[in-house]
Amino acid sequence: MKKIINEANQVVDHMIEGMLATSPDLYKRLEDKNVITRKNAPTDGKVAIISGGGSGHEPAHTGYVGKGMLDAAVIGEVFTSPSAADIYETIKAVDSGSGVFLIIKNYAGDVMNFEMAREFAEAEGIQIDQIIVRDDIAVEDSIYTVGRRGIAGTIFVHKIIGALAETGASLAKIKEVAEQVVKNVRSIGVATNPCTIPAVGEPTFTLEDDEIEIGIGIHGEPGIERRKMMSASEIATYMLDRIFADIEINSEDDVAVLINGLGATPEMELYIIQHEVEKILREKGINIYRAFVGEYMTALEMGGCSVTLLKLDGAWKELLDAPSDAKNFFVRS
Amino acid sequence: MKKIINEANQVVDHMIEGMLATSPDLYKRLEDKNVITRKNAPTDGKVAIISGGGSGHEPAHTGYVGKGMLDAAVIGEVFTSPSAADIYETIKAVDSGSGVFLIIKNYAGDVMNFEMAREFAEAEGIQIDQIIVRDDIAVEDSIYTVGRRGIAGTIFVHKIIGALAETGASLAKIKEVAEQVVKNVRSIGVATNPCTIPAVGEPTFTLEDDEIEIGIGIHGEPGIERRKMMSASEIATYMLDRIFADIEINSEDDVAVLINGLGATPEMELYIIQHEVEKILREKGINIYRAFVGEYMTALEMGGCSVTLLKLDGAWKELLDAPSDAKNFFVRS
């Protein structure tokens, strides 16, 4: 796989410099760190929301930094957790004295480093709490994970919690809502083609020309099964059957839907999946309150997509629709 | 190449249905046609702006339909011009009596069908004019083109002309500005991997594992030359050298930059190219007024990117920054 890069060990630094040059009014870089914060961070009178993780999943999480969503994104090397030291510096940089909340995808490295940073911060007297997102229903444990993995459903946590923080909600209230959102969000993905980590140079896995892997992770971690390539209708049916087996969503319930491209799948195909998902939900009498289709959390140039359903509590609709300045989840004020 | 589709002959219809389900407040479908218009079309008192072309380039052009940009996008089969009949019906549907302006990418089929539709409309007494975008400096003629091809620079034409139309500008004024914008916009692309048309099932071209093709078109049309894979710095230098050989841009001039992913290139790599482009422009003392990085005009799952520079007239800055509701070029009001 050819990469449009310079040196493989500089990709994160060069990417961040490109982001800063593109959005100078939105972003600032934490000095000498692979961290992007809001331009005007810290923001007085609100709990600061931090997320992050390995790079290679762009626009996650930098694309969600901005008023109404994240205060900062901490960026690791490709598919590698950021260090506890960088997370700790980020916490100190964005805390306005109102506390900090960490949104962590469930990978062993991320959980370890975010929790270590949290301990450092607590020792300094910073009010801090966290949520671990585990939305991927495919497998219980995986290469990098104990328990379920965190994938694209994390974007809904960013949006709802980010909007809630903007209202001046307390750290305790934010924690309470985050736990409820995580209980109500489910995702599952499929892959049609692998991706290649720049520093490795070889694909993370191989698939035959006529194969699809269901339940694959966003780093190529094994999923549920490999099958012969299926139609969009079959893929959507399979994915929603698994989600409905895992969470009760009834007729008249409201959901938010996220159809997420993993990197190389044409937008055309994502909308074809969305059309199939919408048909299935309509047949069940489930109401799509909002749908989002695009690349929200990728795996470099992996082919495939994930489907996320968030069963909506009434109060979350307003938070989902609240203004956001984030580059990749812009909502008009 | 595996495709997440149902039947290859239904991909456009299913995609449009997915788009409508995702953005019901923004879009409406012209009955029985592969056409998306603004929900509230026609808009009184303004010239209607129409673009379109073959599908497979999403988000072009549907992602640019909305207040401040296009009134409608006419959608052909994959890499195939829409019919003159569909374009003609679109013209009638969005004309409020203030006239219609067509933004056409320079491909023989598009030019023929848009111009035929224009003649039908003129015969009905509709005020109508057009611009043909020819921003791709790579080659003079190509498989589907006499003269230069229209590629991602078209998005800047959409934005500036769309914003101008919203001010109530006359058809004559719109034509005049469109001609000036087209004279000042230049693009060039590179490909690292081919794409596959669903109904064909085979890649549109082949590249060796260590090859890059410079100047390739958004349907895989041949470019300038094939070379051994280059670094991001070398690619950016090569592309900007070609652009600067074709248009005079001096120190202190303002430009808008668009780094466009062709489908399968990770956002990380697009920002790395942006970083290199920004360094070169800064060395020349050229001021980046705005930069845009992402997938704006793709070629299904082609690997690679294009760079577009628009030399900015002072008056266009305001139009570039004017509010837009378009899904893929949102600007806050």
Side-chain angles (χ1 to χ4, degrees):
Chain A
M1 176 54 70
K2 286 159 272 190
K3 298 280 174 182
I4 301 177
I5 64 173
N6 296 304
E7 299 301 321
N9 63 0
Q10 297 177 307
V11 293
V12 174
D13 180 63
H14 291 178
M15 171 184 76
I16 291 174
E17 289 301 313
M19 289 174 169
L20 293 167
T22 305
S23 302
D25 300 336
L26 186 61
Y27 292 152
K28 108 185 139 185
R29 184 176 189 164
L30 201 59
E31 209 180 326
D32 297 330
K33 300 282 177 196
N34 289 339
V35 175
I36 281 180
T37 76
R38 295 188 196 178
K39 180 81 174 182
N40 61 351
T43 304
D44 283 345
K46 74 176 276 296
V47 172
I49 312 294
I50 299 174
S51 194
S55 57
H57 303 299
E58 290 69 29
H61 300 269
T62 45
Y64 309 111
V65 171
K67 193 173 178 206
M69 286 187 83
L70 304 180
D71 292 80
V74 194
I75 305 156
E77 292 301 317
V78 177
F79 293 178
T80 303
S81 174
S83 70
D86 281 10
I87 300 165
Y88 171 59
E89 292 299 329
T90 308
I91 292 168
K92 287 197 294 183
V94 299
D95 180 31
S96 68
S98 300
V100 174
F101 192 74
L102 308 174
I103 299 175
I104 310 165
K105 301 197 301 299
N106 191 33
Y107 297 99
D110 286 337
V111 172
M112 185 177 73
N113 290 338
F114 273 87
E115 291 191 340
M116 198 181 303
R118 176 186 166 175
E119 284 171 27
F120 298 158
E122 278 171 338
E124 295 246 340
I126 293 173
Q127 295 180 66
I128 188 163
D129 211 334
Q130 70 180 47
I131 189 77
I132 297 175
V133 185
R134 319 163 188 270
D135 56 314
D136 185 353
I137 61 169
V139 293
E140 275 306 315
D141 300 311
S142 186
I143 296 177
Y144 309 112
T145 327
V146 177
R148 290 178 169 183
R149 300 175 297 223
I151 59 170
T154 309
I155 311 306
F156 284 142
V157 183
H158 289 352
K159 180 66 184 75
I160 290 173
I161 295 307
L164 180 63
E166 221 68 53
T167 68
S170 69
L171 192 57
K173 177 68 180 173
I174 285 170
K175 169 81 170 184
E176 181 197 322
V177 174
E179 283 181 336
Q180 286 302 313
V181 173
V182 167
K183 275 188 192 154
N184 284 282
V185 68
R186 297 291 187 285
S187 303
I188 184 168
V190 297
T192 53
N193 280 289
C195 58
T196 299
I197 299 170
V200 175
E202 295 294 326
T204 49
F205 59 94
T206 55
L207 270 174
E208 296 300 321
D209 279 352
D210 61 349
E211 273 185 336
I212 183 169
E213 180 156 338
I214 297 161
I216 205 156
I218 55 173
H219 314 88
E221 310 95 306
I224 302 166
E225 59 169 332
R226 289 188 175 195
R227 296 179 63 150
K228 292 287 172 195
M229 188 60 195
M230 295 150 66
S231 71
S233 169
E234 289 164 342
I235 293 168
T237 301
Y238 185 115
M239 291 202 285
L240 288 191
D241 280 351
R242 298 294 290 218
I243 290 177
F244 288 129
D246 199 77
I247 183 172
E248 192 180 328
I249 304 180
N250 297 311
S251 175
E252 310 286 319
D253 280 347
D254 288 317
V255 295
V257 175
L258 175 62
I259 312 293
N260 173 56
L262 291 175
T265 298
E267 189 178 295
M268 170 178 277
E269 298 175 32
L270 301 180
Y271 277 110
I272 290 172
I273 282 285
Q274 159 63 5
H275 178 49
E276 297 298 329
V277 166
E278 195 258 345
K279 279 198 289 189
I280 295 168
L281 294 176
R282 199 172 19 164
E283 276 164 23
K284 289 180 178 286
I286 297 166
N287 176 44
I288 300 183
Y289 179 72
R290 289 278 178 270
F292 304 90
V293 177
E295 293 186 343
Y296 288 86
M297 183 178 288
T298 62
L300 295 166
E301 66 284 272
M302 195 185 288
C305 66
S306 63
V307 171
T308 299
L309 294 189
L310 170 63
K311 187 175 165 182
L312 278 173
D313 183 294
W316 303 345
K317 293 179 188 171
E318 202 175 314
L319 296 169
L320 199 58
D321 292 342
S324 161
D325 280 355
K327 223 170 133 52
N328 291 79
F329 208 118
F330 206 95
V331 181
R332 169 180 303 291
S333 56
Chain B
M1 177 54 70
K2 287 159 273 191
K3 297 280 175 184
I4 300 176
I5 63 173
N6 296 304
E7 299 301 321
N9 63 1
Q10 298 177 307
V11 293
V12 174
D13 180 63
H14 291 178
M15 172 185 75
I16 292 174
E17 288 301 312
M19 288 174 169
L20 293 167
T22 305
S23 302
D25 300 336
L26 186 62
Y27 292 151
K28 105 184 141 186
R29 184 175 188 163
L30 202 58
E31 210 180 326
D32 298 328
K33 300 282 178 197
N34 289 340
V35 175
I36 281 180
T37 76
R38 294 188 196 179
K39 180 80 174 181
N40 61 351
T43 304
D44 283 345
K46 74 177 275 296
V47 172
I49 311 294
I50 298 175
S51 193
S55 57
H57 304 298
E58 290 70 30
H61 298 269
T62 45
Y64 309 111
V65 171
K67 192 171 179 206
M69 287 187 83
L70 305 180
D71 293 79
V74 194
I75 306 156
E77 292 301 316
V78 176
F79 293 178
T80 304
S81 173
S83 71
D86 281 9
I87 300 165
Y88 171 58
E89 292 299 329
T90 309
I91 292 167
K92 288 198 294 184
V94 301
D95 180 32
S96 67
S98 300
V100 174
F101 191 74
L102 307 175
I103 299 174
I104 310 166
K105 300 196 300 299
N106 190 33
Y107 297 100
D110 286 337
V111 172
M112 184 177 74
N113 290 337
F114 273 88
E115 290 191 341
M116 197 182 302
R118 175 187 166 174
E119 285 172 25
F120 298 157
E122 280 172 338
E124 296 247 339
I126 294 174
Q127 295 181 65
I128 187 163
D129 211 333
Q130 70 180 47
I131 189 77
I132 297 175
V133 184
R134 321 163 187 266
D135 56 313
D136 185 353
I137 61 168
V139 293
E140 275 306 316
D141 300 311
S142 186
I143 297 179
Y144 309 113
T145 325
V146 177
R148 290 178 169 186
R149 300 175 296 224
I151 58 170
T154 309
I155 310 307
F156 283 142
V157 184
H158 289 351
K159 180 65 185 75
I160 289 172
I161 295 307
L164 180 63
E166 222 69 51
T167 68
S170 69
L171 194 56
K173 177 69 180 173
I174 285 171
K175 170 81 170 185
E176 179 197 322
V177 174
E179 282 180 337
Q180 285 304 313
V181 173
V182 167
K183 274 188 191 152
N184 284 282
V185 68
R186 297 291 187 285
S187 303
I188 184 167
V190 296
T192 52
N193 281 290
C195 59
T196 299
I197 299 170
V200 175
E202 296 294 327
T204 49
F205 60 94
T206 54
L207 270 174
E208 297 299 320
D209 278 352
D210 60 349
E211 274 185 338
I212 183 169
E213 181 156 335
I214 296 160
I216 204 156
I218 55 173
H219 314 89
E221 309 96 307
I224 302 167
E225 59 169 332
R226 289 188 175 196
R227 297 179 63 150
K228 292 287 173 195
M229 187 62 194
M230 295 149 69
S231 71
S233 169
E234 289 164 343
I235 293 168
T237 301
Y238 186 114
M239 293 202 285
L240 288 191
D241 281 352
R242 299 294 292 215
I243 290 177
F244 288 128
D246 198 76
I247 183 172
E248 191 179 329
I249 304 180
N250 297 312
S251 176
E252 309 287 319
D253 281 347
D254 287 317
V255 295
V257 176
L258 175 62
I259 311 293
N260 173 55
L262 292 174
T265 298
E267 189 179 296
M268 171 178 275
E269 297 175 32
L270 301 180
Y271 277 110
I272 290 172
I273 282 286
Q274 159 63 6
H275 177 49
E276 297 299 331
V277 166
E278 195 259 343
K279 278 197 290 187
I280 295 168
L281 294 176
R282 198 171 21 160
E283 277 163 22
K284 289 180 178 286
I286 296 166
N287 176 42
I288 300 182
Y289 179 71
R290 290 278 177 268
F292 303 90
V293 178
E295 292 185 345
Y296 287 86
M297 182 177 290
T298 62
L300 296 167
E301 66 284 270
M302 196 185 287
C305 66
S306 63
V307 171
T308 298
L309 294 191
L310 170 64
K311 187 175 164 180
L312 278 172
D313 183 296
W316 303 346
K317 293 179 187 172
E318 204 175 312
L319 296 168
L320 198 58
D321 292 342
S324 160
D325 280 355
K327 224 169 130 55
N328 291 80
F329 209 119
F330 206 96
V331 181
R332 170 180 305 289
S333 55

PDB file of all heavy atoms in Angstrom, chain A residues 207-226:
ATOM      1  N   LEU A 207      -7.864 -10.486   3.197  1.00  0.00           N
ATOM      2  CA  LEU A 207      -9.199 -11.010   2.881  1.00  0.00           C
ATOM      3  C   LEU A 207      -9.160 -11.454   1.425  1.00  0.00           C
ATOM      4  O   LEU A 207      -8.534 -10.793   0.591  1.00  0.00           O
ATOM      5  CB  LEU A 207     -10.251  -9.899   3.017  1.00  0.00           C
ATOM      6  CG  LEU A 207     -10.941  -9.674   4.354  1.00  0.00           C
ATOM      7  CD1 LEU A 207     -11.815  -8.437   4.283  1.00  0.00           C
ATOM      8  CD2 LEU A 207     -11.761 -10.881   4.785  1.00  0.00           C
ATOM      9  N   GLU A 208      -9.817 -12.553   1.130  1.00  0.00           N
ATOM     10  CA  GLU A 208      -9.893 -12.991  -0.267  1.00  0.00           C
ATOM     11  C   GLU A 208     -10.736 -12.005  -1.079  1.00  0.00           C
ATOM     12  O   GLU A 208     -11.498 -11.210  -0.525  1.00  0.00           O
ATOM     13  CB  GLU A 208     -10.516 -14.398  -0.355  1.00  0.00           C
ATOM     14  CG  GLU A 208      -9.686 -15.481   0.328  1.00  0.00           C
ATOM     15  CD  GLU A 208      -8.293 -15.625  -0.276  1.00  0.00           C
ATOM     16  OE1 GLU A 208      -8.153 -15.535  -1.507  1.00  0.00           O
ATOM     17  OE2 GLU A 208      -7.331 -15.798   0.511  1.00  0.00           O
ATOM     18  N   ASP A 209     -10.607 -12.085  -2.393  1.00  0.00           N
ATOM     19  CA  ASP A 209     -11.298 -11.165  -3.304  1.00  0.00           C
ATOM     20  C   ASP A 209     -12.821 -11.200  -3.169  1.00  0.00           C
ATOM     21  O   ASP A 209     -13.499 -10.260  -3.587  1.00  0.00           O
ATOM     22  CB  ASP A 209     -10.954 -11.500  -4.761  1.00  0.00           C
ATOM     23  CG  ASP A 209      -9.612 -10.893  -5.147  1.00  0.00           C
ATOM     24  OD1 ASP A 209      -9.069 -10.117  -4.345  1.00  0.00           O
ATOM     25  OD2 ASP A 209      -9.122 -11.219  -6.242  1.00  0.00           O
ATOM     26  N   ASP A 210     -13.352 -12.300  -2.638  1.00  0.00           N
ATOM     27  CA  ASP A 210     -14.815 -12.430  -2.546  1.00  0.00           C
ATOM     28  C   ASP A 210     -15.286 -12.525  -1.100  1.00  0.00           C
ATOM     29  O   ASP A 210     -16.381 -12.977  -0.831  1.00  0.00           O
ATOM     30  CB  ASP A 210     -15.283 -13.655  -3.340  1.00  0.00           C
ATOM     31  CG  ASP A 210     -14.681 -14.946  -2.792  1.00  0.00           C
ATOM     32  OD1 ASP A 210     -13.752 -14.871  -1.944  1.00  0.00           O
ATOM     33  OD2 ASP A 210     -15.147 -16.021  -3.198  1.00  0.00           O
ATOM     34  N   GLU A 211     -14.416 -12.100  -0.162  1.00  0.00           N
ATOM     35  CA  GLU A 211     -14.755 -12.263   1.259  1.00  0.00           C
ATOM     36  C   GLU A 211     -15.057 -10.945   1.953  1.00  0.00           C
ATOM     37  O   GLU A 211     -14.476  -9.903   1.609  1.00  0.00           O
ATOM     38  CB  GLU A 211     -13.565 -12.890   2.004  1.00  0.00           C
ATOM     39  CG  GLU A 211     -13.524 -14.388   1.981  1.00  0.00           C
ATOM     40  CD  GLU A 211     -12.378 -14.909   2.855  1.00  0.00           C
ATOM     41  OE1 GLU A 211     -11.391 -14.169   3.080  1.00  0.00           O
ATOM     42  OE2 GLU A 211     -12.462 -16.048   3.297  1.00  0.00           O
ATOM     43  N   ILE A 212     -15.901 -11.016   2.960  1.00  0.00           N
ATOM     44  CA  ILE A 212     -16.168  -9.880   3.848  1.00  0.00           C
ATOM     45  C   ILE A 212     -16.019 -10.394   5.284  1.00  0.00           C
ATOM     46  O   ILE A 212     -16.370 -11.547   5.560  1.00  0.00           O
ATOM     47  CB  ILE A 212     -17.586  -9.307   3.578  1.00  0.00           C
ATOM     48  CG1 ILE A 212     -17.868  -8.078   4.440  1.00  0.00           C
ATOM     49  CG2 ILE A 212     -18.679 -10.350   3.764  1.00  0.00           C
ATOM     50  CD1 ILE A 212     -19.145  -7.324   4.021  1.00  0.00           C
ATOM     51  N   GLU A 213     -15.453  -9.576   6.157  1.00  0.00           N
ATOM     52  CA  GLU A 213     -15.371  -9.991   7.556  1.00  0.00           C
ATOM     53  C   GLU A 213     -16.328  -9.143   8.372  1.00  0.00           C
ATOM     54  O   GLU A 213     -16.320  -7.910   8.307  1.00  0.00           O
ATOM     55  CB  GLU A 213     -13.947  -9.875   8.113  1.00  0.00           C
ATOM     56  CG  GLU A 213     -13.897 -10.311   9.576  1.00  0.00           C
ATOM     57  CD  GLU A 213     -12.548 -10.789  10.058  1.00  0.00           C
ATOM     58  OE1 GLU A 213     -11.722 -11.199   9.231  1.00  0.00           O
ATOM     59  OE2 GLU A 213     -12.341 -10.758  11.291  1.00  0.00           O
ATOM     60  N   ILE A 214     -17.138  -9.832   9.148  1.00  0.00           N
ATOM     61  CA  ILE A 214     -18.150  -9.141   9.940  1.00  0.00           C
ATOM     62  C   ILE A 214     -17.659  -8.987  11.371  1.00  0.00           C
ATOM     63  O   ILE A 214     -17.103  -9.924  11.946  1.00  0.00           O
ATOM     64  CB  ILE A 214     -19.487  -9.919   9.893  1.00  0.00           C
ATOM     65  CG1 ILE A 214     -19.988  -9.941   8.450  1.00  0.00           C
ATOM     66  CG2 ILE A 214     -20.527  -9.287  10.812  1.00  0.00           C
ATOM     67  CD1 ILE A 214     -20.991 -11.008   8.183  1.00  0.00           C
ATOM     68  N   GLY A 215     -17.855  -7.800  11.906  1.00  0.00           N
ATOM     69  CA  GLY A 215     -17.506  -7.561  13.298  1.00  0.00           C
ATOM     70  C   GLY A 215     -16.057  -7.199  13.513  1.00  0.00           C
ATOM     71  O   GLY A 215     -15.559  -7.199  14.638  1.00  0.00           O
ATOM     72  N   ILE A 216     -15.382  -6.837  12.430  1.00  0.00           N
ATOM     73  CA  ILE A 216     -13.962  -6.511  12.532  1.00  0.00           C
ATOM     74  C   ILE A 216     -13.780  -5.208  13.327  1.00  0.00           C
ATOM     75  O   ILE A 216     -14.650  -4.335  13.331  1.00  0.00           O
ATOM     76  CB  ILE A 216     -13.363  -6.401  11.118  1.00  0.00           C
ATOM     77  CG1 ILE A 216     -11.873  -6.684  11.170  1.00  0.00           C
ATOM     78  CG2 ILE A 216     -13.680  -5.054  10.488  1.00  0.00           C
ATOM     79  CD1 ILE A 216     -11.336  -7.153   9.843  1.00  0.00           C
ATOM     80  N   GLY A 217     -12.619  -5.073  13.972  1.00  0.00           N
ATOM     81  CA  GLY A 217     -12.346  -3.855  14.735  1.00  0.00           C
ATOM     82  C   GLY A 217     -11.682  -2.797  13.883  1.00  0.00           C
ATOM     83  O   GLY A 217     -11.263  -3.066  12.749  1.00  0.00           O
ATOM     84  N   ILE A 218     -11.565  -1.586  14.432  1.00  0.00           N
ATOM     85  CA  ILE A 218     -11.020  -0.471  13.650  1.00  0.00           C
ATOM     86  C   ILE A 218      -9.489  -0.482  13.572  1.00  0.00           C
ATOM     87  O   ILE A 218      -8.879   0.456  13.077  1.00  0.00           O
ATOM     88  CB  ILE A 218     -11.529   0.905  14.161  1.00  0.00           C
ATOM     89  CG1 ILE A 218     -11.240   1.073  15.648  1.00  0.00           C
ATOM     90  CG2 ILE A 218     -13.003   1.079  13.851  1.00  0.00           C
ATOM     91  CD1 ILE A 218     -11.567   2.457  16.183  1.00  0.00           C
ATOM     92  N   HIS A 219      -8.872  -1.534  14.055  1.00  0.00           N
ATOM     93  CA  HIS A 219      -7.434  -1.741  13.836  1.00  0.00           C
ATOM     94  C   HIS A 219      -7.210  -3.056  13.112  1.00  0.00           C
ATOM     95  O   HIS A 219      -6.094  -3.563  13.051  1.00  0.00           O
ATOM     96  CB  HIS A 219      -6.675  -1.780  15.156  1.00  0.00           C
ATOM     97  CG  HIS A 219      -7.047  -0.700  16.102  1.00  0.00           C
ATOM     98  ND1 HIS A 219      -8.073  -0.822  16.998  1.00  0.00           N
ATOM     99  CD2 HIS A 219      -6.556   0.544  16.254  1.00  0.00           C
ATOM    100  CE1 HIS A 219      -8.175   0.304  17.687  1.00  0.00           C
ATOM    101  NE2 HIS A 219      -7.283   1.150  17.252  1.00  0.00           N
ATOM    102  N   GLY A 220      -8.303  -3.652  12.609  1.00  0.00           N
ATOM    103  CA  GLY A 220      -8.189  -4.941  11.937  1.00  0.00           C
ATOM    104  C   GLY A 220      -8.282  -6.127  12.884  1.00  0.00           C
ATOM    105  O   GLY A 220      -7.984  -7.255  12.499  1.00  0.00           O
ATOM    106  N   GLU A 221      -8.688  -5.901  14.135  1.00  0.00           N
ATOM    107  CA  GLU A 221      -8.845  -7.017  15.068  1.00  0.00           C
ATOM    108  C   GLU A 221      -9.931  -7.961  14.558  1.00  0.00           C
ATOM    109  O   GLU A 221     -10.944  -7.511  14.029  1.00  0.00           O
ATOM    110  CB  GLU A 221      -9.257  -6.542  16.459  1.00  0.00           C
ATOM    111  CG  GLU A 221      -8.440  -5.431  17.042  1.00  0.00           C
ATOM    112  CD  GLU A 221      -9.087  -4.080  16.774  1.00  0.00           C
ATOM    113  OE1 GLU A 221      -9.366  -3.769  15.605  1.00  0.00           O
ATOM    114  OE2 GLU A 221      -9.290  -3.348  17.741  1.00  0.00           O
ATOM    115  N   PRO A 222      -9.773  -9.266  14.781  1.00  0.00           N
ATOM    116  CA  PRO A 222     -10.735 -10.230  14.239  1.00  0.00           C
ATOM    117  C   PRO A 222     -12.163  -9.958  14.692  1.00  0.00           C
ATOM    118  O   PRO A 222     -12.409  -9.453  15.789  1.00  0.00           O
ATOM    119  CB  PRO A 222     -10.237 -11.565  14.806  1.00  0.00           C
ATOM    120  CG  PRO A 222      -8.799 -11.352  15.073  1.00  0.00           C
ATOM    121  CD  PRO A 222      -8.674  -9.914  15.491  1.00  0.00           C
ATOM    122  N   GLY A 223     -13.102 -10.326  13.812  1.00  0.00           N
ATOM    123  CA  GLY A 223     -14.506 -10.127  14.103  1.00  0.00           C
ATOM    124  C   GLY A 223     -15.204 -11.432  14.406  1.00  0.00           C
ATOM    125  O   GLY A 223     -14.623 -12.324  15.049  1.00  0.00           O
ATOM    126  N   ILE A 224     -16.446 -11.541  13.955  1.00  0.00           N
ATOM    127  CA  ILE A 224     -17.286 -12.696  14.273  1.00  0.00           C
ATOM    128  C   ILE A 224     -17.044 -13.817  13.271  1.00  0.00           C
ATOM    129  O   ILE A 224     -16.834 -14.968  13.633  1.00  0.00           O
ATOM    130  CB  ILE A 224     -18.780 -12.291  14.217  1.00  0.00           C
ATOM    131  CG1 ILE A 224     -19.053 -11.153  15.199  1.00  0.00           C
ATOM    132  CG2 ILE A 224     -19.670 -13.488  14.505  1.00  0.00           C
ATOM    133  CD1 ILE A 224     -20.398 -10.473  14.981  1.00  0.00           C
ATOM    134  N   GLU A 225     -17.089 -13.456  11.999  1.00  0.00           N
ATOM    135  CA  GLU A 225     -16.926 -14.493  10.971  1.00  0.00           C
ATOM    136  C   GLU A 225     -16.618 -13.856   9.628  1.00  0.00           C
ATOM    137  O   GLU A 225     -16.892 -12.688   9.398  1.00  0.00           O
ATOM    138  CB  GLU A 225     -18.201 -15.344  10.853  1.00  0.00           C
ATOM    139  CG  GLU A 225     -19.445 -14.562  10.502  1.00  0.00           C
ATOM    140  CD  GLU A 225     -20.624 -15.470  10.121  1.00  0.00           C
ATOM    141  OE1 GLU A 225     -20.406 -16.588   9.622  1.00  0.00           O
ATOM    142  OE2 GLU A 225     -21.782 -15.041  10.327  1.00  0.00           O
ATOM    143  N   ARG A 226     -16.039 -14.696   8.762  1.00  0.00           N
ATOM    144  CA  ARG A 226     -15.828 -14.299   7.368  1.00  0.00           C
ATOM    145  C   ARG A 226     -16.855 -15.008   6.515  1.00  0.00           C
ATOM    146  O   ARG A 226     -17.124 -16.193   6.737  1.00  0.00           O
ATOM    147  CB  ARG A 226     -14.436 -14.701   6.913  1.00  0.00           C
ATOM    148  CG  ARG A 226     -13.404 -13.849   7.585  1.00  0.00           C
ATOM    149  CD  ARG A 226     -12.034 -14.082   7.014  1.00  0.00           C
ATOM    150  NE  ARG A 226     -11.156 -13.108   7.658  1.00  0.00           N
ATOM    151  CZ  ARG A 226      -9.947 -12.798   7.235  1.00  0.00           C
ATOM    152  NH1 ARG A 226      -9.463 -13.392   6.158  1.00  0.00           N
ATOM    153  NH2 ARG A 226      -9.219 -11.903   7.870  1.00  0.00           N
TER     154      ARG A 226
END
